[in-house]
Amino acid sequence: MIKHLRATLKTIYLTLQGFLPDEWAIQISYFRKFHRFANLRAPQTLNEKVNWRKLHQRDPRFTLFADKVAVKAEIARLVGSEHVIPTLWAGERPEDIPFDEIAPPYLIKVSHGFGSNIFIHRREDIDEKKIRAALDQRLRHPHGRSGREWGYYDIPRKILIERMLETPKGKSPDDYKFFVYHGRVHFIQIDADRRGLHKRAFYDRNWNKLPMTSPYPVIERPILMQPYLGEMTGIAE
């Protein structure tokens, strides 16, 4: 009962939020998270600067790099196709997915969304009716609207199936995210065990661990510097 009530209230909140001016909606979301309003006139923190960009920057590259289908060609052009995860299938309609022709492991995502991937490890994971219904719902969902992430608004809505990256033991490899400012990597985020007990840590470009936190537990184990860290940093930059 309580869970259903919370879900209903969240739906009402998101619906009402859609009618608010962008800055009001951003400030409400910011206040819910940090219990204070953001300084959007003279932003100081990373979170404030990101939200300032939502309001004041309309760089068309935001849409290109948020489009999970179109960005692959751009990445191949910039740094080489060997750095692009192979696409197994792409299309506009869930009913067109040729499940019998695609061998697991793979994951399914929508081009204009985030945080809603469907993981297929083996053929037993394929429930065609359930997957098609979920994708139909995600294709209709206006991802980015509640957070005023305008870069997602005009992305053509498609379905993408790509090869799943796994370790020899069948687990998700550690995920590296490079934070680049003015063309230079300043720090690196590492996510581990994303399909289990998701943990996270931050390092600078010289591989010194940083005292930063996130909604996830900190990775306590030492993470060795990758021998190809320099190459990864250069590609990101």
Side-chain angles (χ1 to χ4, degrees):
M1 178 68 178
I2 294 177
K3 184 177 180 180
H4 178 72
L5 178 60
R6 287 177 176 172
T8 302
L9 291 174
K10 183 177 180 180
T11 300
I12 294 173
Y13 163 73
L14 292 175
T15 300
L16 293 176
Q17 189 188 42
F19 294 99
L20 294 174
D22 288 349
E23 185 167 348
W24 291 17
I26 286 174
Q27 286 287 19
I28 290 173
S29 295
Y30 194 95
F31 188 86
R32 292 178 68 222
K33 182 69 176 179
F34 297 104
H35 308 294
R36 63 181 175 83
F37 292 111
N39 180 357
L40 297 178
R41 298 295 176 264
Q44 301 299 313
T45 69
L46 172 63
N47 283 296
E48 287 176 338
K49 291 179 180 182
V50 168
N51 281 290
W52 182 92
R53 295 184 81 177
K54 293 179 189 178
L55 293 171
H56 301 292
Q57 286 191 333
R58 289 295 186 270
D59 189 327
R61 291 176 297 179
F62 289 0
T63 294
L64 172 61
F65 282 104
D67 185 333
K68 292 176 173 56
V69 174
V71 73
K72 292 195 169 194
E74 182 67 5
I75 294 300
R77 184 185 70 82
L78 289 170
V79 298
S81 59
E82 68 272 22
H83 299 295
V84 180
I85 297 175
T87 296
L88 303 179
W89 184 85
E92 298 179 357
R93 305 194 313 163
E95 56 266 35
D96 292 338
I97 298 175
F99 285 107
D100 293 339
E101 301 174 15
I102 307 174
Y106 58 82
L107 57 86
I108 311 173
K109 59 180 71 172
V110 291
S111 58
H112 73 302
F114 47 86
S116 59
N117 296 342
I118 298 173
F119 294 87
I120 304 297
H121 301 279
R122 57 193 68 81
R123 291 205 176 273
E124 289 74 18
D125 295 331
I126 301 174
D127 183 331
E128 294 190 22
K129 183 177 180 180
K130 184 176 179 180
I131 292 172
R132 295 187 204 278
L135 289 171
D136 183 64
Q137 183 180 30
R138 290 168 193 180
L139 285 169
R140 288 186 279 107
H141 182 73
H143 292 276
R145 290 284 180 184
S146 61
R148 297 311 195 265
E149 296 171 281
W150 63 267
Y152 289 96
Y153 296 177
D154 296 325
I155 296 174
R157 300 186 182 187
K158 297 180 180 179
I159 301 164
L160 171 66
I161 300 179
E162 60 185 15
R163 179 62 59 208
M164 187 187 303
L165 299 182
E166 291 185 323
T167 68
K169 295 183 178 180
K171 295 184 177 181
S172 296
D174 290 349
D175 184 10
Y176 289 70
K177 298 183 185 297
F178 293 77
F179 287 71
V180 183
Y181 304 95
H182 304 293
R184 179 177 171 82
V185 169
H186 284 266
F187 64 94
I188 304 163
Q189 172 185 312
I190 301 93
D191 289 87
D193 197 16
R194 298 190 67 149
R195 283 181 270 159
L197 181 57
H198 188 170
K199 295 184 178 181
R200 180 174 290 169
F202 298 87
Y203 286 76
D204 66 18
R205 62 182 291 122
N206 298 314
W207 213 245
N208 299 301
K209 194 170 187 179
L210 299 173
M212 299 171 66
T213 60
S214 76
Y216 300 99
V218 175
I219 302 172
E220 300 294 347
R221 61 176 170 83
I223 302 176
L224 298 178
M225 181 188 293
Q226 295 289 349
Y228 39 81
L229 180 66
E231 179 183 1
M232 295 163 71
T233 299
I235 290 171
E237 292 177 343

